[in-house]
Amino acid sequence: MARRHFDRVRITRLMTPIPWHLLPDNSSLGANGQLVVGGCDTLELAAEFGTPVFVYDEEHLRNRCRQAVQAFGRNATYATKAFLCVAMARLVHEEGMRLDVATGGELAVVLAADVPPEDIVLHGNNKSRRELAEALEVGVGRIVVDSFEELDRIEDLVTSGANPPKVLLRLTPGVKAVTHEFIATGQDDSKFGFTVSSGLATQAVDRAAASGAVELVGVHCHIGSQVFRVDSFARALEVIGRFAAPLDLPELVIGGGLGVAYVEGEEAASISQWGTTLKQAANDVGISAAIGIEPGRSITAAAAVTLYEVGVIKHLDGIRTYLAVDGGMSDNPRPVLYGSGYETFLAREAAADRDMVAKVVGKHCESGDVLVNEGKLPSTVAVGDIIGTPVTGAYGHSMGSNYNKVLRPPVVFCRDGDARLVVRRETYGDLLASDLG
Ligand code: LLP
């Protein structure tokens, strides 16, 4: 393999290696300095499964589920939108969490994993009649009701004499979480839920309490995602705790949203620390209802790295270096959507100083197809090398697309040196399966 060096762009300031804490828990260096995840050599994984590939540290996933269960027991519910496949649904349930689904599709995957319906929570701001009918038919454990129209649909579907489903009402507490505006959901100006300040929440409670078609068991809120400040959750808990106190309902769910560190310099609370803060806040407000959480990102994000092969290195004197890999916005749309930052590492020399900067781009037909704006890598990186981005375990695979008819990558779970292929790479046949010609 031809090694092309980048003396011209080598930056003089000593650049650090990849911050180790951004890699999955069970990461280590192999004999030649290559990255090993869950006991599996990433270079071998790339050779065996091809690239791009999502590599998950299975123990990391299990450990995060355990933290959630330790803090909240059966009231810890995994938000499947962060990352879902049958193996993931099974793993989460094995570890004692319930699972939340926000569409009929997520429900179908979770049911395919044989998760008992009573451990499934149905979400969504515009659940269709069909989705509600499917959920009622299998008997999901909870429905989180988001609108009056949804109550109409449920009342229409639950025939008299049938067991009314247990529901929570999604409330909008008027708490603006500090995060990207696309994923902030707690402020009054939101498409989600019944607004507390405008009186909609009170109307919804009155309506649900009087309806024979639902059994109102609690209130719910979700202020947003990738929220670093745990006091934002405490404030939301205070607002909905005060609102719910006179109702004396047994359940209060504070949603998901705990932020995770993606890049050097970011620090995030652990699920356990988040749990302690929430419990303290619940105590302070005197909430007697059982508190529930719905983490997604904090369970899965840091558990995975995505491996890519470098296909093109384009050096533009005085401008920048582009490094094109064999994936892009189809396996990780977050940089394009939210301007999210990621780090980069060279798989064969994972702890090496990263002394050059390149714009890591994908293979899609647009200039916006950027994975990492300023990706730091050792300057020995060459065409054919395997590079990786850590913290891609949440909202990467799940938000992936087939743009440019690119095949969605496989997912591999690694544990104690065993690599288990849990989602295979798509084929051209998959692309054509729904095309009737
Ligand atoms: N509960 C509800 C009702 C939610 O809407 C969400 C996420 C969660 C729980 C889980 O939140 P998490 O713990 O994962 O932050 N695509 C965006 C994130 C969208 C989050 C949507 N709702 C991203 O890539 O940042």
Side-chain angles (χ1 to χ4, degrees), residues 79 81 170 183 222 225 256-257 294 296-297 334 338 395 399:
K81 69 204 78 179
R170 175 155 179 178
I183 53 177
H222 170 76
S225 195
E294 281 169 355
R297 189 192 312 267
R334 301 194 67 258
Y338 318 114
Y395 303 110
M399 292 206 300

Side-chain angles (χ1 to χ4, degrees), residues 237-280:
L237 201 65
E238 200 181 316
V239 175
I240 67 161
R242 293 235 153 88
F243 173 85
L247 310 173
D248 202 22
L249 297 169
E251 298 177 21
L252 190 158
V253 176
I254 195 71
L258 180 63
V260 308
Y262 280 83
V263 292
E264 197 160 9
E266 278 182 348
E267 266 184 52
S270 67
I271 295 174
S272 309
Q273 289 163 337
W274 186 40
T276 308
T277 305
L278 292 179
K279 284 181 180 169
Q280 184 59 50

Side-chain angles (χ1 to χ4, degrees), residues 306-321:
T306 309
L307 302 176
Y308 303 95
E309 184 177 314
V310 178
V312 174
I313 298 176
K314 176 177 175 181
H315 178 68
L316 291 171
D317 263 338
I319 302 180
R320 73 173 81 245
T321 297

Side-chain angles (χ1 to χ4, degrees), residues 69-90:
V69 171
Q70 197 167 25
F72 292 96
R74 300 290 293 160
N75 298 314
T77 302
Y78 171 62
T80 62
K81 69 204 78 179
F83 166 58
L84 178 62
C85 60
V86 169
M88 180 63 185
R90 275 202 200 110

